[in-house]
Amino acid sequence: GVIEKRDRSPVTVADFGSQAIVCRVVGDAFGDDPIIAEEDSAALREPGGEELYGRVVAEVRRVVRDATGEQALGWIDRGGATEHSARFWTLDPIDGTKGFLRGDQYAISLALLVQGRIAVAALACPNLDTGGGGLGAVLHAVRGRGAFEASIDGGGAGVLLEELVQFGDHRGVGVGPGAVEPGHDLGLRGALRV
């Protein structure tokens, strides 16, 4: 399932599903933090969107078995903030949708910005060859602590989530402007292999 957005870029079931899951996790851990993400549920709610809606909900249920359709739509829309604030997350649920569609490289990207500076950033790269025979990596950086790589299938990913939960409550951390390409959202870790 691929649809075309107004800007003629593709959006897939994976974009919606990834955004729903990541926004659910971030929302549960940091309920007061706004999330600026790429998608909204409008196309899934429109007449004619029933098939796509059903496929998105099915994908979300692969991760959250008891999720309702309305919950999935709500999690997608949790990423609907449009204004920067003192502390917010930014998410690109499938960064490189065309690469994803080709079965090539793409990432699930998320970042926490505090006082206009990147504090935490992560990329889940399911198709990245890690060189040791594995496929898929989570790359993450925490301001003042360094940058790290973990296997997407385990190997430190749980530690990353714990680290982000602990770090996410630290309100005075940031990264200098200019660390991200203009007009491009940087993002956190995808807890989901699409």
Side-chain angles (χ1 to χ4, degrees):
V2 179
I3 60 172
E4 196 172 89
K5 293 193 269 189
R6 287 188 186 122
D7 68 359
R8 303 186 55 84
S9 63
V11 61
T12 67
V13 169
D15 286 279
F16 291 116
S18 173
Q19 182 162 317
I21 298 302
V22 174
C23 286
R24 175 184 181 259
V25 170
V26 172
D28 286 353
F30 309 104
D32 294 337
D33 291 359
I35 305 168
I36 299 174
E38 288 203 345
E39 312 308 338
D40 64 55
S41 68
L44 304 175
R45 296 177 188 272
E46 292 176 357
E50 297 85 2
E51 180 186 350
L52 186 60
Y53 165 84
R55 292 182 64 196
V56 169
V57 172
E59 287 301 313
V60 169
R61 286 183 180 150
R62 290 179 57 203
V63 178
V64 183
R65 290 193 177 126
D66 61 348
T68 67
E70 278 306 308
Q71 284 176 314
L73 297 179
W75 295 329
I76 292 167
D77 290 338
R78 173 83 171 81
T82 57
E83 299 291 323
H84 293 192
S85 59
R87 177 186 163 96
F88 68 97
W89 296 85
T90 180
L91 168 66
D92 188 338
I94 300 288
D95 190 355
T97 301
K98 290 179 182 177
F100 171 79
L101 290 169
R102 288 190 310 267
D104 201 1
Q105 296 300 324
Y106 70 96
I108 299 166
S109 306
L110 184 67
L112 170 65
L113 284 86
V114 179
Q115 302 300 329
R117 298 166 51 125
I118 300 167
V120 178
L123 298 169
C125 306
N127 290 340
L128 185 65
D129 183 351
T130 60
L135 190 63
V138 176
L139 310 167
H140 66 282
V142 179
R143 185 143 195 25
R145 295 189 188 175
F148 309 92
E149 177 182 353
S151 166
I152 204 165
D153 292 327
V159 173
L160 167 64
L161 195 53
E162 179 180 315
E163 189 174 297
L164 291 174
V165 169
Q166 290 174 359
F167 186 80
D169 287 330
H170 184 42
R171 306 280 179 188
V173 181
V175 171
V180 180
E181 295 173 39
H184 191 83
D185 289 341
L186 204 138
L188 178 101
R189 132 181 169 70
L192 151 83
R193 184 179 185 123
V194 180

